[in-house]
Amino acid sequence: MVDTATLVVDGKEITLEVSSPSEGQDVINVASLVNEGLFTFDPGFLSTASCESTLTYIDGDQGKLLHRGYSIEQLAEKSNYMELCYLLLRGELPAQSELANFIAAVEKETVVHEQLVDICSTFPPGSHPMGMLGTLVSAMSAFYHDGLDINDPDQRMQVAIRLLAQIPICAAIVFRHHMQKERVDLRPGLSYADQFYHLMFSESNDSEVDPILSKALDQIFLLHADHEQNASTSTVRLVGSTDANPYGCIAAGIAALWGPSHGGANEGVLKMIAEIGDESRIPQYIKKAKDRDDPFRIMGFGHRVYKNFDPRAACVRATCNDVLDRLGIKDDPILEIAKTLAKIAREDEYFIERRLYPNVDFYSGVILRALGIPQDYFTVIFAVGRTAGWIAQWHEMVSDGYKIGRPRQKYTGPRQRDYVAIDQRS
Ligand code: CMC
């Protein structure tokens, strides 16, 4: 293992420390370069590790995703979202009593302020659900700001538990408002996913919860729980590094997730399939995707980090089939288009060469549509799951100590020049 690297600039040798992580690539510490009058330049952070973290490891070439060392495949098969939340926040899998206490603490925080419901009711019809969710989460700061000490680990854990408890409820309030449906009451004793399913879909307070469908939701939450330093998590950390109110930090993460290159891709998948409309039109869209002068991309294909396969996509594919079977959905034209696109990804040189595979959002979009969730609401489901990662990463950052995030730039504007009076400008 090398432990230093030498950079030669204008003949001057600069020694940089190289350290090894517990898994993955060695890391060159460039923090001292500023003392040499140099910055590094890495748009999109392709080669930049922005922090140390013990939560999640991704090996994009091998399609590997680990949370605290446990593979996503094992967690998806044997665990559930609540247990993963505990693992991410506390570092180890819980004993039975620890998990029971954690779930009880989450249940205790499920009462949201009625004013949040009032705020939601003021949104005009057609408002985007991600905008509404971000607003409600940001508004939570109004109720939990004064006296909040983010340097107190117990208070941080309380924030984490409250967000895990209340974000799904806010999401369900947004859903009911969006669908113009009456709300139902919380039903004590239901599991996390059953409660969410009930709040979203039940026609009455005592409607049955379908276990296959609520399990599918639990798995979608679990598969989306954390994904190291993606755009929204980096946003949460960056905003958190200013000591901002944590509800505001998570609201910022929700805004970052909204975009179609990130969490908005699952909505984009269904929009794109609807636009394609018919299998006969697929070749023309594939041609568009390959055309460098056309910004069109096949939504749900490709990933910044996974360059072989997305392990979450492999887990969710089986669930996708269970849900479609359970709902008796067959010969759906949308599904047929999705299947053909997935087949093309495996066979077409363009996608093979660039290592573009269907990602988790490709399949989760299909499941959510089958559940009857409107496509502009899909990213809200992603946000509910990702809450675990956002708050665990924020908690880790504050626990470990941090500097305010402040990237520099390569300035390419005009050099210094003199101001010209308006009547003398040519
Ligand atoms: N369809 C067609 N071509 C593509 C696609 C796509 N979906 N994605 C990448 N390419 C091409 C791209 O045009 C480029 O081609 P060339 O080498 O000829 O210039 C090459 O593949 C490399 O693309 P890139 O933009 O350098 O790749 P990236 O790592 O910067 O982008 C990505 C990753 C996810 C933003 C991109 O693949 C994409 O826009 N995918 C569609 C949106 C999507 O599904 N996003 C969800 C990601 S998973 C959820 C999450 O974790 O947030």
Side-chain angles (χ1 to χ4, degrees):
M1 187 210 77
V2 274
D3 52 13
T4 58
T6 306
L7 180 69
V8 181
V9 183
D10 278 346
K12 183 180 176 194
E13 287 192 359
I14 303 167
T15 304
L16 300 168
E17 182 196 308
V18 180
S19 58
S20 296
S22 49
E23 295 240 26
Q25 293 97 323
D26 284 349
V27 173
I28 303 177
N29 187 337
V30 294
S32 63
L33 282 181
V34 67
N35 304 326
E36 307 288 340
L38 293 167
F39 294 151
T40 53
F41 181 58
D42 182 19
F45 308 115
L46 288 145
S47 301
T48 297
S50 62
C51 62
E52 287 185 346
S53 179
T54 57
L55 269 75
T56 293
Y57 172 67
I58 302 174
D59 181 328
D61 286 330
Q62 289 186 33
K64 187 161 150 183
L65 168 60
L66 309 178
H67 293 309
R68 304 273 193 195
Y70 298 102
S71 78
I72 195 66
E73 288 85 354
Q74 288 190 3
L75 291 166
E77 189 194 334
K78 299 175 182 176
S79 184
N80 56 58
Y81 182 65
M82 272 290 94
E83 189 177 57
L84 179 55
C85 290
Y86 185 100
L87 176 67
L88 288 170
L89 281 165
R90 302 272 194 198
E92 294 296 338
L93 287 171
Q96 205 115 46
S97 59
E98 289 169 328
L99 183 61
N101 289 342
F102 181 71
I103 291 171
V106 171
E107 274 178 9
K108 216 169 137 206
E109 283 290 345
T110 45
V111 181
V112 301
H113 274 263
E114 267 310 299
Q115 277 159 291
L116 288 182
V117 182
D118 295 344
I119 291 172
C120 191
S121 66
T122 62
F123 278 101
S127 303
H128 197 285
M130 283 297 276
M132 292 194 263
L133 182 70
T135 304
L136 296 195
V137 174
S138 188
M140 283 175 75
S141 64
F143 307 111
Y144 308 108
H145 184 75
D146 289 343
L148 175 63
D149 178 4
I150 58 168
N151 295 310
D152 175 348
D154 292 339
Q155 291 197 40
R156 282 204 302 279
M157 198 50 73
Q158 195 57 35
V159 168
I161 285 171
R162 185 175 294 133
L163 281 160
L164 283 174
Q166 297 198 7
I167 285 191
I169 300 177
C170 289
I173 292 169
V174 165
F175 182 72
R176 294 272 173 174
H177 178 70
H178 191 56
M179 304 297 280
Q180 304 200 331
K181 282 176 108 178
E182 283 293 305
R183 286 167 58 215
V184 291
D185 297 334
L186 277 164
R187 203 188 299 164
L190 290 187
S191 74
Y192 193 83
D194 283 359
Q195 188 73 268
F196 184 67
Y197 186 93
H198 163 68
L199 291 175
M200 292 278 290
F201 301 114
S202 286
E203 292 299 333
S204 68
N205 285 331
D206 49 10
S207 304
E208 284 296 304
V209 171
D210 186 310
I212 293 181
L213 304 185
S214 81
K215 186 164 185 300
L217 279 174
D218 191 79
Q219 195 188 55
I220 290 177
F221 294 156
L222 179 142
L223 293 175
H224 286 91
D226 190 44
H227 217 222
E228 51 120 302
Q229 307 312 318
N230 55 81
S232 59
T233 301
S234 297
T235 301
V236 170
R237 278 186 177 257
L238 188 62
V239 179
S241 79
T242 70
D243 294 339
N245 176 288
Y247 302 93
C249 299
I250 303 301
I254 290 172
L257 187 73
W258 192 348
S261 298
H262 190 12
N266 53 14
E267 176 184 353
V269 171
L270 267 289
K271 268 190 186 158
M272 174 195 72
I273 294 180
E275 189 186 315
I276 295 175
D278 189 89
E279 279 195 83
S280 63
R281 281 158 50 89
I282 291 178
Q284 103 191 39
Y285 279 83
I286 295 289
K287 200 166 158 217
K288 264 165 79 66
K290 293 178 181 177
D291 181 354
R292 282 208 166 139
D293 297 326
D294 191 325
F296 174 78
R297 288 185 165 194
I298 302 289
M299 297 310 292
F301 273 32
H303 198 275
R304 166 57 63 80
V305 181
Y306 295 123
K307 297 299 180 194
N308 257 333
F309 67 96
D310 178 344
R312 302 166 302 168
C315 297
V316 82
R317 205 169 39 214
T319 306
C320 186
N321 292 333
D322 289 348
V323 168
L324 298 177
D325 281 353
R326 176 74 190 88
L327 294 170
I329 298 176
K330 285 192 204 106
D331 307 326
D332 177 345
I334 296 276
L335 275 180
E336 293 311 313
I337 294 175
K339 277 188 202 156
T340 309
L341 285 173
K343 187 163 174 280
I344 288 169
R346 290 195 299 272
E347 292 169 0
D348 188 304
E349 270 310 301
Y350 175 92
F351 296 96
I352 296 170
E353 265 173 25
R354 287 167 183 74
R355 306 202 283 175
L356 300 169
Y357 298 83
N359 55 48
V360 65
D361 290 321
F362 190 76
Y363 295 103
S364 65
V366 174
I367 296 183
L368 297 176
R369 175 177 180 272
L371 289 175
I373 296 177
Q375 64 198 33
D376 57 358
Y377 188 86
F378 289 0
T379 316
V380 169
I381 303 283
F382 189 158
V384 173
R386 185 54 56 87
T387 301
W390 290 332
I391 51 175
Q393 298 262 359
W394 169 79
H395 177 59
E396 180 182 60
M397 182 187 80
V398 181
S399 308
D400 290 355
Y402 52 98
K403 281 185 186 305
I404 184 171
R406 177 58 171 90
R408 300 304 302 265
Q409 61 171 5
K410 177 182 168 192
Y411 175 70
T412 56
R415 297 179 68 92
Q416 182 169 356
R417 49 188 169 162
D418 284 328
Y419 181 83
V420 180
I422 196 161
D423 56 352
Q424 288 167 27
R425 288 175 211 159
S426 48

